[in-house]
Amino acid sequence: MATLKDKKILLAVTGSIAAYKIATLTRLLVKSGAQVRIIMTEAATKFITPLTLATLSKNEVHQEVSSGASWNNHVELGLWADLMVVAPLTATSMAKMANAICDSMVVAVYLSARCPIFFAPAMDLDMWAHPANQANLKKLISYGNHLIPVGIGELASGLSGAGRMAEPAQIVEVLAHHFQKGKDLQGKKVLITAGPTFEAIDPVRFIGNRSSGKMGLALAKDALRRGAEVCLILGPSRLDLSHPALNLVKVESADQMYAAAKQHFPAMDIAILAAAVSDYRPKEQALEKIKKKSENLILELVKNPDIAASLGQQKQKHQLLIGFALETNNEEANAIGKLKKKNFDFIVLNSLKDPGAGFNHDTNQITILSKDNKIKKFELKSKKSVASDILDEAIEWMNK
Ligand code: C5P
């Protein structure tokens, strides 16, 4: 059974019929060793009584930031918790959390909590599918909160479809898994390329692309959290990172990224190539700023080195090589082509067709295609959670 021994879990309950399952969830959390404190919206108390939950959690249940003359400190509760889980999460509370409408203890605590936050929505199927709810859902995910996906099946309305709150046992599993992810990359060396490259035309102009470096940075942060030593080769990006176990190598051009990657790769266990490397660069780089003279200016471009393919050739048996593909058409076929050509162990595909995926977003929706012909599709998540999924996959491969 999943263990949450000594973990401090703050459970927030909002007003859906699925709240009746929170008695079971509380019981399971306590049984798995967690300390549980509960807050509820007023609507939630119509579906399950605070007395029931106070008895099961062995702690007082709070509903209001202030009740009469006393003040319930939402900051203190948010700081106490190792993890906050909102279950069930209704459309109204989701909208309030997504937009900081702070009219309840639940939203006040949510906004001031510093711990990881999980949420398990519960709604009728059409409500769940409504663009307003889906937009709020995406906002919550983009803030780094973790979605516990809805189930599909019979709903309280009598309809059947997506929208059921995840079962209590599933919720406990998800939370326990979060804590189990300890230092599983301790002693490992991870190389990450990230960001765009800029190819100089003259001293002031360049050819570049819209990559922000966010996905690569999220990977570097998660690898560091898991205990890895990370070498991050970062193209020109506004982002920055510092950590005692991080070697940050800042580069501008594909050539510089290539040189740094080749230098560091032999010592690595894992290399993740998340950079959007410019395929071509100007053949000549003018030493002075090019003057506006003729009507047309023709730039001759030459191919840049393919960093991924080169590392793929020099890859040793114990090394894992992971690539990215950002495609606009024939996504899976193109990704598989790159996987083979560059000798990747697996490739992470994101499509520009998926809203919220790709350049500059805080969220991403990925599919992982591997050299043993397996395909895993993931939901839209924060880049932080996507990074964690990619490293989970890498660890699975290393343990094969
Ligand atoms: O640009 P392309 O779609 O071929 O990128 C696929 C993968 O190859 C990505 O992981 C990217 O970081 C890597 N790549 C590279 N060097 C290049 C081009 C792409 O490492 N010159």
Side-chain angles (χ1 to χ4, degrees):
M1 198 185 114
T3 173
L4 286 166
K5 194 159 165 26
D6 298 330
K7 297 295 177 217
K8 296 179 185 131
I9 307 289
L10 181 62
L11 173 57
V13 189
T14 76
S16 145
I17 179 60
Y20 86 90
K21 294 186 180 175
I22 298 308
T24 308
L25 176 62
T26 307
R27 188 74 198 102
L28 289 177
L29 290 170
V30 170
K31 253 175 109 173
S32 68
Q35 295 177 41
V36 183
R37 290 174 74 174
I38 298 179
I39 49 178
M40 303 174 80
T41 60
E42 204 197 326
T45 64
K46 306 226 164 79
F47 292 95
I48 185 159
T49 71
L51 181 61
T52 305
L53 297 185
T55 311
L56 291 171
S57 68
K58 304 183 177 73
N59 274 311
E60 196 184 339
V61 169
H62 297 294
Q63 289 158 53
E64 303 288 344
V65 176
S66 68
S67 38
S70 68
W71 160 264
N72 294 319
N73 192 340
H74 56 92
V75 176
E76 181 270 321
L77 259 184
L79 295 181
W80 168 84
D82 294 320
L83 183 151
M84 176 174 178
V85 54
V86 191
L89 177 61
T90 60
T92 305
S93 290
M94 184 157 83
K96 289 180 182 174
M97 283 163 62
N99 297 289
I101 299 170
C102 191
D103 65 352
S104 71
M105 182 78 177
V106 168
V107 183
V109 172
Y110 162 72
L111 292 173
S112 43
R114 291 187 184 164
C115 58
I117 292 164
F118 287 71
F119 62 101
M123 271 168 238
D124 206 49
L125 78 165
D126 296 309
M127 212 173 172
W128 173 244
H130 195 282
N133 276 321
Q134 289 299 312
N136 286 332
L137 172 70
K138 281 179 189 151
K139 271 194 186 176
L140 281 190
I141 294 172
S142 75
Y143 304 153
N145 302 309
H146 305 273
L147 167 70
I148 304 177
V150 295
I152 298 170
E154 202 182 312
L155 297 157
S157 61
L159 298 174
S160 185
R164 287 166 63 89
M165 185 184 80
E167 291 303 324
Q170 262 173 297
I171 296 177
V172 175
E173 278 297 326
V174 170
L175 305 189
H177 179 69
H178 169 80
F179 288 111
Q180 269 159 17
K181 269 197 233 159
K183 302 274 177 199
D184 48 9
L185 283 173
Q186 192 83 49
K188 298 287 178 206
K189 294 197 165 105
V190 181
L191 175 94
I192 296 165
T193 66
T197 64
F198 285 179
E199 311 299 328
I201 298 170
D202 66 19
V204 286
R205 294 148 178 140
F206 60 84
I207 296 173
N209 61 64
R210 297 184 197 282
S211 166
S212 60
K214 282 181 184 170
M215 192 62 243
L217 242 84
L219 282 160
K221 283 185 194 165
D222 200 50
L224 289 164
R225 182 182 66 80
R226 291 164 179 244
E229 261 179 63
V230 175
C231 174
L232 173 64
I233 305 175
L234 181 62
S237 160
R238 264 178 285 148
L239 305 174
D240 212 347
L241 189 63
S242 84
H243 187 284
L246 173 70
N247 176 14
L248 178 62
V249 183
K250 289 199 175 177
V251 296
E252 278 266 327
S253 66
D255 260 340
Q256 290 168 355
M257 189 174 274
Y258 178 61
K262 279 192 67 133
Q263 181 197 338
H264 292 284
F265 183 58
M268 297 292 148
D269 299 293
I270 304 173
I272 310 177
L273 306 176
V277 184
S278 193
D279 289 329
Y280 293 92
R281 67 174 181 277
K283 187 175 179 193
E284 310 287 348
Q285 191 182 329
L287 293 175
E288 303 295 340
K289 187 177 169 203
I290 298 173
K291 293 274 178 294
K292 191 182 354 171
K293 278 189 279 189
S294 54
E295 274 309 303
N296 299 316
L297 174 69
I298 294 169
L299 282 176
E300 190 181 348
L301 303 180
V302 292
K303 236 188 183 162
N304 268 330
D306 191 321
I307 304 167
S310 162
L311 300 192
Q313 274 174 9
Q314 73 178 90
K315 183 174 76 163
Q316 303 292 308
K317 252 200 160 151
H318 70 278
Q319 291 181 304
L320 198 65
L321 190 62
I322 302 162
F324 271 78
L326 180 72
E327 302 294 335
T328 53
N329 63 318
N330 286 333
E331 288 94 343
E332 290 190 4
N334 285 337
I336 291 169
K338 284 178 187 170
L339 171 95
K340 292 197 173 133
K341 188 172 149 218
K342 307 194 189 207
N343 197 18
F344 290 141
D345 294 283
F346 65 85
I347 190 160
V348 181
L349 167 67
N350 37 105
S351 163
L352 272 185
K353 279 187 191 154
D354 295 322
F359 284 164
N360 249 316
H361 289 286
D362 290 317
T363 50
N364 204 356
Q365 184 158 21
I366 61 159
T367 303
I368 292 182
L369 303 107
S370 48
K371 67 176 181 194
D372 59 1
N373 302 318
K374 296 221 170 81
I375 298 185
K376 284 190 192 170
K377 286 184 192 288
F378 294 79
E379 295 178 56
L380 185 79
K381 295 185 180 191
S382 67
K383 284 191 172 167
K384 191 173 161 196
S385 301
V386 171
S388 183
D389 288 339
I390 294 169
L391 290 174
D392 279 349
E393 183 73 15
I395 287 163
E396 238 179 74
W397 271 85
M398 283 198 307
N399 294 337
K400 269 189 187 174

